[in-house]
Amino acid sequence: NAGVTQTPKFQVLKTGQSMTLQCAQDMNHEYMSWYRQDPGMGLRLIHYSVGAGITDQGEVPNGYNVSRSTTEDFPLRLLSAAPSQTSVYFCASSYSLAGGVEQFFGPGTRLTVL
Amino acid sequence: SQQGEEDPQALSIQEGENATMNCSYKTSINNLQWYRQNSGRGLVHLILIRSNEREKHSGRLRVTLDTSKKSSSLLITASRAADTASYFCATDARYGGSQGNLIFGKGTKLSVKP
């Protein structure tokens, strides 16, 4: 089991460029989510999905799009990058959203927008 | 907005000492979780305590929950240099149509000196 994988590990973008952060899990988890972590802050939820074809917004969704066509993959798209999106992005998954279960985190993608 | 707030923000102790971190939250919860993050890594789940539990143990970890005070504490006994990390509490929250997403605090940075 690879768990939760994220690519790339590092990325530098110029303002206005677009890119997709990849996230995949091999645990057959229904729930997947994206967080961003800024210096000295906890994690803030961007978008989440409770199953293939179902996505919803979290606390800070503006500037980001997601889709979930398969159980395994949950990509995060930045359509027009802004310096305020410089952050470390974490993808997480769990087998369920209900009932309080642990989430498994990927290693993160460190994104810099110039 | 963060629901949980950890205290202290930073803690430095000697190996062998106990480390205590506190978390306060604002609204009622179904459960509370603690996670550890080593520098430059993703988060790793440590322990979950449900709202009807008052104390829980896992190895050298002891978590307490006081729902009347809306607070939790994490105690690490006989700390080791390998415990050096940031520790986050997370409570369940509702975003969109789903209950159960996690809201993270800003974390306590623990440094254990050999």
Side-chain angles (χ1 to χ4, degrees), chain A residues 31 33 35 37 40-45 48 50 56-59 90 97-103 105-107 110, chain B residues 1-2 31 33 35 37 40-45 48 50 88 95-107:
Chain A
Y31 174 82
S33 57
Y35 296 88
Q37 184 177 34
M41 301 285 286
L43 278 71
R44 290 183 292 169
L45 183 67
Y48 68 95
V50 297
D56 209 339
Q57 296 181 348
E59 181 185 354
F90 290 98
L97 185 61
V101 295
E102 70 174 286
Q103 293 193 20
F105 282 81
R110 189 174 294 272
Chain B
S1 60
Q2 263 105 6
N31 59 78
Q33 304 184 38
Y35 286 80
Q37 183 181 34
R41 301 287 191 93
L43 278 70
V44 174
H45 180 263
L48 179 152
R50 302 193 187 278
F88 296 88
Y95 285 108
S98 301
Q99 177 74 33
N101 286 296
L102 296 181
I103 295 183
F104 287 84
K106 295 181 181 180

Side-chain angles (χ1 to χ4, degrees), chain A residues 2-47:
Chain A
V4 180
T5 57
Q6 291 183 239
T7 56
K9 284 187 169 50
F10 302 93
Q11 183 71 48
V12 178
L13 291 178
K14 294 181 180 176
T15 297
Q17 285 186 317
S18 62
M19 80 159 295
T20 300
L21 280 64
Q22 301 291 346
C23 173
Q25 52 90 10
D26 61 0
M27 297 173 281
N28 202 31
H29 284 168
E30 289 298 319
Y31 174 82
M32 296 185 74
S33 57
W34 278 101
Y35 296 88
R36 60 177 288 173
Q37 184 177 34
D38 299 297
M41 301 285 286
L43 278 71
R44 290 183 292 169
L45 183 67
I46 304 171
H47 285 285

Side-chain angles (χ1 to χ4, degrees), chain B residues 46-96:
Chain B
L46 294 176
I47 196 164
L48 179 152
I49 187 164
R50 302 193 187 278
S51 59
N52 60 354
E53 298 175 309
R54 291 296 167 258
E55 189 171 309
K56 205 160 180 182
H57 296 255
S58 177
R60 294 184 295 113
L61 305 180
R62 172 178 165 247
V63 169
T64 61
L65 179 64
D66 187 334
T67 53
S68 66
K69 294 181 180 177
K70 292 187 170 60
S71 68
S72 173
S73 67
L74 171 67
L75 168 67
I76 304 174
T77 60
S79 62
R80 305 165 182 168
D83 294 327
T84 294
S86 291
Y87 293 81
F88 296 88
C89 68
T91 54
D92 61 318
R94 174 176 285 278
Y95 285 108

